[in-house]
Amino acid sequence: MDVIFVPLANVAGASLDQVKLIFCLLVAYPLGSLFVRIPSSNPALRHAFHIVVSLIIFFPILQIYSAFFQLLAGILATYYIAKYDHSKHMPWRVFAITMIHLTANHAIRAIYNLSYETVEVTGPQMVLTMKLTTFAWNVFDGRRPSDELDKWQTAKRVTKYPSLLEFLGYAFYFPGILVGPYLDYAEYTDLINETMFKDDAVKSKHNSGRMLPPGRKRAAYTCMVTGLAYLGLFVFFGGKYSFAAALSPDFARLPYWRRFLFFQIFGPFERTKYYAIWTLTEGASILTGLGFTGFSSSGSPTWNGAANVQVKQIELPPNFKVLLDSWNMKTNVWLRECIYKRVAPKGRKPGNRVTMITFLTSALWHGIASGYYLTFFMGALITSVARQARTSFRPLFLSPSPYASLKPVYDVLSILVSITVLNYAAAPFMIATFSDSIRVWSVLGWYGHIVVVGGLVFFTLGGSKVFRGVQKSCGVLPPAKNTPANGNGVKAQ
């Protein structure tokens, strides 16, 4: 099929693999409309549809044959381990096997110095790693007493083990096979059986005679147009406005204030490539029926469940936690439910150690480039200091504090600090190498480290105590964490 794609790549000035990837993301749209025409009364055919489409993607289109068989090996290993291993170590065995396999492929990619433009096994394997490890935990939770489970674990638990065809259909869900979105097994079975659409409250909202509620195509094709717009921004401006531009001698010779401002412009353009692919896959997933989240207050159907990114909350974040929660959202769910909660001490609040393990897992999942570890280590520090800063500062700008009128100023400052620190911390992730990352941070005057490390030192040396005293004098001191007013305590981040 390269005879089709080579001319397109030449016209677009892009690599052959990039053109093929975008084609796969776009062709998923008509295939999604075809999929929903397979009746839910024939689930076997629906499972087979996902498998066949994925085979076409991997073989005649992308021509990455070994990648398919590697993914299949991981799928079969997980299926039989989760089925026959009933010990408490089963989910961790699946995690170890899938992560070691993924890391080995990350190492191979690094050894051969393959650019991000090359489509090979690691991209789909990252998505599959989330799906397989989540499935293992869901099966484990299905074998535990209900009173030991939280709300998410209860909703996602697997009590009836799937057939091999069902599991292969889940693993090869075609709109998300290359770059996501990741979905859990309960979501997949609901999609196959159209469970959520059979509810009387849903059926009463439309009179079309179709099982799916209205608005699906509008939501999907809005995502497609938006994704293509982001792709256009990246193609036309991503090369010029990138974090790598900070490595040029000309950038280093600029006055510091210009370096700082230009660097903040680089960030949004760097992120457009992620916005593009995630928004495109979101739309294709919606066309298959994934992502329905009910109805708005006005009665309009909402399709937000397949979203992997909330751009506004990233580019104008009210605080760093909202920013993190809005980026790669499905991966955040995986890290929270399959890592953070699972390594947290039972009955105790997770501490910095648990946070650091979670960030380290995220870095390892992304790859072995040293820049990833600089970014995620910095991210762990930022999460810690941001939590303390919000606890110390925010109550002072809420009623009945005498400073409540300054809340808009606090909000603007929170946005500016969050986005500038994000751009600083994210630069090594894009640049990848240790030496170049340190060089960029140096050119920027280490401003992110000054803010973050300086904040940690301040709060460690008594800053938190000082601000609790200020809150008390303003009459806005929050109740102690062990009082009933605090309910379940501080929410894990």
Side-chain angles (χ1 to χ4, degrees):
M1 294 184 70
D2 283 1
V3 68
I4 301 173
F5 299 113
V6 170
L8 290 174
N10 292 335
V11 171
S15 72
L16 182 61
D17 277 6
Q18 282 182 308
V19 171
K20 287 182 177 181
L21 174 62
I22 298 303
F23 173 81
C24 290
L25 300 183
L26 292 177
V27 79
Y29 281 75
L31 289 173
S33 293
L34 182 61
F35 168 78
V36 297
R37 283 166 171 75
I38 303 173
S40 59
S41 59
N42 193 345
L45 186 57
R46 288 189 146 206
H47 296 308
F49 186 88
H50 290 296
I51 298 168
V52 170
V53 171
S54 293
L55 282 167
I56 294 171
I57 288 173
F58 279 93
F59 285 83
I61 299 178
L62 296 179
Q63 298 175 19
I64 47 176
Y65 313 109
S66 67
F68 176 83
F69 290 110
Q70 287 193 64
L71 298 181
L72 182 61
I75 293 166
L76 294 176
T78 298
Y79 181 79
Y80 288 109
I81 290 172
K83 184 175 184 178
Y84 295 112
D85 185 352
H86 287 241
S87 74
K88 65 180 181 179
H89 302 296
M90 180 271 291
W92 291 117
R93 289 192 175 105
V94 171
F95 176 83
I97 291 170
T98 55
M99 284 296 291
I100 290 171
H101 187 192
L102 175 61
T103 302
N105 281 323
H106 278 314
I108 292 170
R109 184 183 182 108
I111 290 169
Y112 287 96
N113 196 29
L114 299 177
S115 73
Y116 74 90
E117 298 179 352
T118 303
V119 178
E120 40 76 69
V121 67
T122 57
Q125 192 176 18
M126 290 168 71
V127 180
L128 189 62
T129 295
M130 291 190 289
K131 294 170 77 171
L132 296 182
T133 52
T134 302
F135 176 78
W137 281 113
N138 295 156
V139 171
F140 175 74
D141 291 335
R143 296 166 180 165
R144 296 166 63 195
S146 297
D147 57 4
E148 294 183 6
L149 308 178
D150 62 22
K151 183 178 179 181
W152 186 90
Q153 293 164 352
T154 300
K156 305 300 182 180
R157 65 194 307 219
V158 173
T159 54
K160 179 184 177 183
Y161 206 80
S163 68
L164 185 56
L165 176 64
E166 291 170 330
F167 191 67
L168 288 172
Y170 163 64
F172 287 116
Y173 173 69
F174 73 87
I177 188 63
L178 297 178
V179 295
Y182 132 84
L183 72 166
D184 57 64
Y185 186 72
E187 288 178 299
Y188 177 74
T189 55
D190 284 347
L191 173 73
I192 293 296
N193 300 318
E194 295 184 334
T195 307
M196 73 289 288
F197 305 129
K198 295 176 182 177
D199 186 90
D200 290 338
V202 175
K203 290 192 289 186
S204 66
K205 292 289 185 178
H206 59 95
N207 301 311
S208 63
R210 296 282 306 279
M211 181 66 73
L212 297 174
R216 176 179 57 91
K217 290 183 179 179
R218 185 184 305 110
Y221 285 105
T222 297
C223 286
M224 187 185 79
V225 172
T226 304
L228 290 174
Y230 285 130
L231 184 63
L233 287 173
F234 176 70
V235 169
F236 288 107
F237 300 105
K240 180 179 180 181
Y241 298 105
S242 68
F243 289 140
L247 293 167
S248 71
D250 290 340
F251 184 86
R253 285 192 289 266
L254 293 172
Y256 181 77
W257 67 271
R258 293 188 68 184
R259 274 178 269 156
F260 181 85
L261 290 178
F262 273 124
F263 197 76
Q264 310 317 316
I265 295 172
F266 296 161
F269 286 109
E270 278 276 20
R271 291 185 281 275
T272 53
K273 59 178 175 285
Y274 297 101
Y275 297 159
I277 60 173
W278 286 336
T279 308
L280 287 174
T281 57
E282 177 187 353
S285 300
I286 290 172
L287 279 177
T288 66
L290 184 70
F292 178 67
T293 49
F295 298 91
S296 66
S297 57
S298 63
S300 300
T302 57
W303 295 85
N304 304 318
N308 204 29
V309 65
Q310 293 180 339
V311 177
K312 182 181 177 181
Q313 299 285 47
I314 294 169
E315 300 302 337
L316 295 172
N319 57 66
F320 202 77
K321 182 184 184 305
V322 170
L323 189 158
L324 287 180
D325 289 345
S326 303
W327 172 265
N328 208 352
M329 294 157 61
K330 298 297 184 179
T331 301
N332 287 339
V333 172
W334 173 65
L335 290 169
R336 182 184 69 238
E337 300 296 338
C338 298
I339 308 299
Y340 187 87
K341 286 184 179 180
R342 306 296 179 168
V343 299
K346 190 174 182 179
R348 292 163 51 194
K349 177 186 171 184
N352 290 335
R353 172 181 164 273
V354 175
T355 299
M356 195 62 70
I357 291 173
T358 306
F359 274 94
L360 180 61
T361 301
S362 182
L364 188 64
W365 176 78
H366 279 89
I368 63 171
S370 54
Y372 297 162
Y373 294 85
L374 290 174
T375 288
F376 286 107
F377 180 74
M378 190 72 180
L381 297 180
I382 294 169
T383 298
S384 179
V385 74
R387 185 185 300 125
Q388 295 180 72
R390 182 174 172 81
T391 302
S392 297
F393 301 149
R394 191 170 186 274
L396 297 175
F397 300 97
L398 301 176
S399 182
S401 169
Y403 306 110
S405 61
L406 297 176
K407 177 70 161 46
V409 177
Y410 168 81
D411 290 339
V412 171
L413 288 175
S414 295
I415 291 172
L416 293 176
V417 171
S418 296
I419 198 66
T420 54
V421 170
L422 165 69
N423 289 330
Y424 180 90
F429 185 91
M430 307 296 184
I431 294 169
T433 66
F434 181 86
S435 58
D436 285 345
S437 299
I438 297 301
R439 189 172 150 199
V440 168
W441 277 351
S442 179
V443 168
L444 294 171
W446 300 92
Y447 77 80
H449 281 81
I450 292 172
V451 172
V452 174
V453 178
L456 284 173
V457 171
F458 170 76
F459 290 118
T460 301
L461 295 181
S464 297
K465 184 177 181 180
V466 169
F467 273 91
R468 284 186 65 83
V470 176
Q471 291 171 14
K472 184 176 182 180
S473 67
C474 293
V476 293
L477 181 66
K481 294 178 182 178
N482 58 352
T483 63
N486 196 52
N488 292 323
V490 178
K491 183 181 178 182
Q493 296 186 34

